[in-house]
Amino acid sequence: MDSDLSQIDWSLIRSFLAIAESGSLSGAARSIGSTQPTLGRQLRALEVQLESELFVRHARGFTLTAVGQKLVPYAEQMRAAMSEFSIIAAGSHTTLQGDVRLTTSVFMAHHIMPGILAKLRVTTPEIKVDLIASDSSDNLLFREADIAIRMYQPQQLDVITRHLGNIQLGLFASRDYLAHAGCPKTPEELIKHDIVGYDRNDQIIRAMREQGWPATRDWFSTRCDNQTTYWQLVRAGCGIGFCQRSVGLADVNMVEVLPDLTLPHLPVWLTAHETLRHQPRISHVWDAILSNLKPLVS
């Protein structure tokens, strides 16, 4: 192997690892925010430098060759080292100016974060925020996000977490739905109505069973796992559904159903890497989120 391997660009290794983990160019592109043509070119460039094929291409995607499999652990070590390098460098910044990557659920990103970020733009325009709307667990250790708002307690090491409180849930229906279907007065009447539920996510079923209702997937007349779309189905009149009370009560077209019914809460956790938590711009955005979310939790 005559090529100078000391000159290999880290971005090529990063692309190789993304393809190895996703098994396709499309999945790798989504995971690292690149494009399929770029990843294809970078993979070819890496294979030329290494003088080895790293993947077997087939109709279903990419499978690692024997050489590729041997290189994956070393690529993972390089990614971890680059992550630590980036985190330590970022943690040394002493000014507010710069970028902050923030991730939260699709529903929170759609309904809650725009107002918070609009205020931040007025008070601190020198901070630029990348909002990642995702229901997956973005990895704070690999700088996929600087701050995360989670509906569960993160278990990663080397992160600082703070439990902000619990978001109250409520049952809601559109005025149009209630006009033709009537409003249930008791929990027993509720199960006779159209209920909007989840598809593969069993969260609603488990919550209903905790209340003593023998719920099954068939109870739901309309089903969707994307919570933003789910809420739009409820708003459109597909049936009665669950929503964060602050969001549901703010919608003049919606009516809370059985407001005295006891429902599970959504815990809210704010999380950041411990090295970055007190970096000025991270700390500023953290405090802004904290102060704006506090009125929404109990």
Side-chain angles (χ1 to χ4, degrees):
M1 190 177 295
D2 299 326
S3 56
D4 185 358
L5 299 186
S6 66
Q7 302 302 313
I8 294 179
D9 188 337
W10 156 244
S11 64
L12 304 185
I13 305 296
R14 178 171 178 256
S15 297
F16 158 71
L17 196 53
I19 297 169
E21 291 175 340
S22 67
S24 69
L25 290 180
S26 59
R30 287 192 299 271
S31 69
I32 63 174
S34 185
T35 65
Q36 294 186 51
T38 297
L39 288 178
R41 288 192 298 271
Q42 290 177 327
L43 175 58
R44 287 192 293 273
L46 181 61
E47 289 180 326
V48 168
Q49 278 193 272
L50 297 178
E51 299 178 3
S52 300
E53 285 193 6
L54 303 178
F55 294 94
V56 176
R57 283 79 164 168
H58 49 76
R60 296 185 303 277
F62 288 66
T63 301
L64 286 162
T65 62
V67 173
Q69 290 176 356
K70 292 179 180 178
L71 291 176
V72 165
Y74 300 101
E76 291 173 336
Q77 292 174 22
M78 291 178 67
R79 178 172 62 184
M82 290 298 294
S83 173
E84 288 298 320
F85 183 93
S86 174
I87 288 170
I88 292 172
S92 67
H93 294 171
T94 59
T95 65
L96 285 178
Q97 186 174 5
D99 300 337
V100 175
R101 292 179 64 79
L102 168 65
T103 184
T104 189
S105 70
V106 174
F107 190 89
M108 289 285 287
H110 185 95
H111 293 281
I112 305 298
M113 294 313 301
I116 296 175
L117 296 185
K119 292 179 183 178
L120 193 65
R121 292 299 308 146
V122 174
T123 60
T124 325
E126 61 269 34
I127 294 178
K128 298 179 180 179
V129 176
D130 299 312
L131 178 59
I132 307 162
S134 174
D135 293 324
S136 65
S137 299
D138 294 286
N139 195 333
L140 294 170
L141 299 184
F142 292 143
R143 293 300 309 280
E144 293 172 18
D146 299 311
I147 299 174
I149 304 169
R150 300 284 189 229
M151 304 305 159
Y152 55 87
Q153 183 175 9
Q155 299 299 319
Q156 290 176 285
L157 300 176
D158 302 326
V159 298
I160 293 175
T161 62
R162 177 166 178 177
H163 182 214
L164 303 188
N166 300 308
I167 291 179
Q168 299 286 332
L169 295 179
L171 277 171
F172 291 88
S174 71
R175 296 185 184 278
D176 288 343
Y177 172 82
L178 296 178
H180 74 78
C183 186
K185 304 299 183 183
T186 66
E188 290 71 27
E189 291 182 16
L190 175 65
I191 61 177
K192 299 176 183 178
H193 280 258
D194 290 337
I195 303 176
V196 182
Y198 293 154
D199 178 15
R200 298 182 180 180
N201 185 335
D202 67 350
Q203 183 177 357
I204 290 178
I205 293 176
R206 286 187 283 108
M208 295 180 76
R209 287 177 178 172
E210 288 173 1
Q211 301 300 317
W213 302 333
T216 66
R217 186 175 180 275
D218 292 337
W219 276 29
F220 306 125
S221 55
T222 310
R223 298 179 284 259
C224 180
D225 283 338
N226 181 289
Q227 293 187 14
T228 297
T229 304
Y230 172 97
W231 179 235
Q232 293 306 313
L233 292 170
V234 178
R235 294 186 72 249
C238 291
I240 299 172
F242 298 83
C243 185
Q244 297 180 20
R245 289 192 76 236
S246 62
V247 174
L249 293 174
D251 193 324
V252 296
N253 294 315
M254 304 302 291
V255 176
E256 187 171 17
V257 175
L258 299 175
D260 295 329
L261 190 65
T262 301
L263 295 175
H265 300 153
L266 284 178
V268 183
W269 293 83
L270 198 56
T271 308
H273 193 283
E274 63 181 4
T275 305
L276 299 177
R277 167 63 184 89
H278 298 292
Q279 194 266 357
R281 65 175 179 268
I282 304 295
S283 180
H284 187 84
V285 175
W286 174 287
D287 291 341
I289 295 170
L290 183 63
S291 62
N292 281 277
L293 284 184
K294 268 297 184 181
L296 304 181
V297 299
S298 60

